[in-house]
Amino acid sequence: MSSNRNNKLLLIFILCTPIVVMALSSTMFKTGLFVPQTTTNRGILLEPTLTVDKLNINGGSLWLNKQVDPLWSIVILPTNKCLNECEQALYLTRQIHIALGKEANRVQRILIDEPITSLKEELHNQHPRLNYLPPQVQSYDPLEKLVKHNFPNDNVGIFLVDPHGNIIMQYGVKQNGQDLLKDIKHLLKISLIG
């Protein structure tokens, strides 16, 4: 008799578990109770997400080589000519790119600037895997506003763009490089794209 009762209790428990889980998850979704308020990302998550095609950057695509699959992109955007802070951002992103090791082929670095002709060769020697896009004031204006809003003392913005062209995170040039490195490693680990 006791075995029969235990079996009934077990059956009731098994049948009620999905109902309780659904009720709790619905309550969490509708009320926000028990939802974590912190995130693990170290950059500023851009919400709503901007996209490369809506900003009409490079005809809606950051894929400079159409023969390869779309990559994750680290975009360096100077708000004026590429000077000291820009050089600092280029150095920082180059070190991050190197630190990615075997995953480095999944990431491209793009400088949105036309380097002065005399500096172009020097930049190419120091940053051989750096790509360039010419500045288009109207396209980059929302990104420049983000730089001034989120990092008012910076003249350079660093943005992380996913392979679908979503500009998802922003970093300051004075921010610790480990922040961007940890975020991009985490994204590359969990991402099935790029």
Side-chain angles (χ1 to χ4, degrees):
M1 193 75 147
S2 173
S3 168
N4 228 2
R5 183 173 178 216
N6 286 344
N7 288 341
K8 285 181 183 179
L9 286 174
L10 182 61
L11 181 63
I12 290 171
F13 177 76
I14 290 172
L15 292 175
C16 288
T17 299
I19 295 168
V20 170
V21 169
M22 290 298 288
L24 283 174
S25 62
S26 295
T27 303
M28 286 175 68
F29 179 74
K30 290 179 181 174
T31 65
L33 289 174
F34 308 115
V35 176
Q37 299 299 317
T38 59
T39 60
T40 58
N41 57 292
R42 290 159 173 81
I44 295 175
L45 188 63
L46 300 180
E47 294 180 297
T49 303
L50 296 169
T51 61
V52 170
D53 60 339
K54 285 184 183 168
L55 294 178
N56 197 28
I57 296 172
N58 193 37
S61 175
L62 286 180
W63 322 135
L64 305 176
N65 183 351
K66 304 293 183 191
Q67 280 71 44
V68 297
D69 290 334
L71 304 172
W72 287 84
S73 301
I74 300 171
V75 175
I76 302 112
L77 175 69
T79 55
N80 53 28
K81 282 292 173 202
C82 192
L83 299 171
N84 293 340
E85 278 190 350
C86 184
E87 287 180 26
Q88 185 180 352
L90 289 171
Y91 175 78
L92 176 75
T93 57
R94 182 186 65 196
Q95 296 307 99
I96 290 166
H97 206 189
I98 292 168
L100 288 172
K102 66 180 182 175
E103 298 292 334
N105 290 333
R106 296 176 64 190
V107 178
Q108 65 180 346
R109 292 184 312 132
I110 299 173
L111 173 64
I112 311 257
D113 198 12
E114 282 292 338
I116 302 165
T117 310
S118 60
L119 289 177
K120 197 168 194 171
E121 190 174 325
E122 184 181 336
L123 273 176
H124 183 68
N125 290 338
Q126 291 178 3
H127 305 276
R129 296 180 71 184
L130 182 66
N131 298 303
Y132 302 93
L133 278 179
Q136 301 164 318
V137 176
Q138 294 168 337
S139 296
Y140 300 112
D141 191 48
L143 296 179
E144 288 182 0
K145 286 180 181 172
L146 279 172
V147 173
K148 291 302 174 197
H149 179 265
N150 293 330
F151 298 97
N153 297 324
D154 288 2
N155 291 318
V156 178
I158 300 172
F159 296 91
L160 184 59
V161 183
D162 74 11
H164 292 300
N166 299 309
I167 304 167
I168 55 174
M169 286 193 189
Q170 179 186 3
Y171 300 85
V173 73
K174 295 176 184 85
Q175 199 167 347
N176 187 336
Q178 289 295 320
D179 293 345
L180 176 55
L181 181 62
K182 286 178 182 175
D183 280 352
I184 202 162
K185 276 186 171 182
H186 175 72
L187 289 168
L188 290 173
K189 182 178 178 182
I190 63 171
S191 173
L192 300 176
I193 55 173

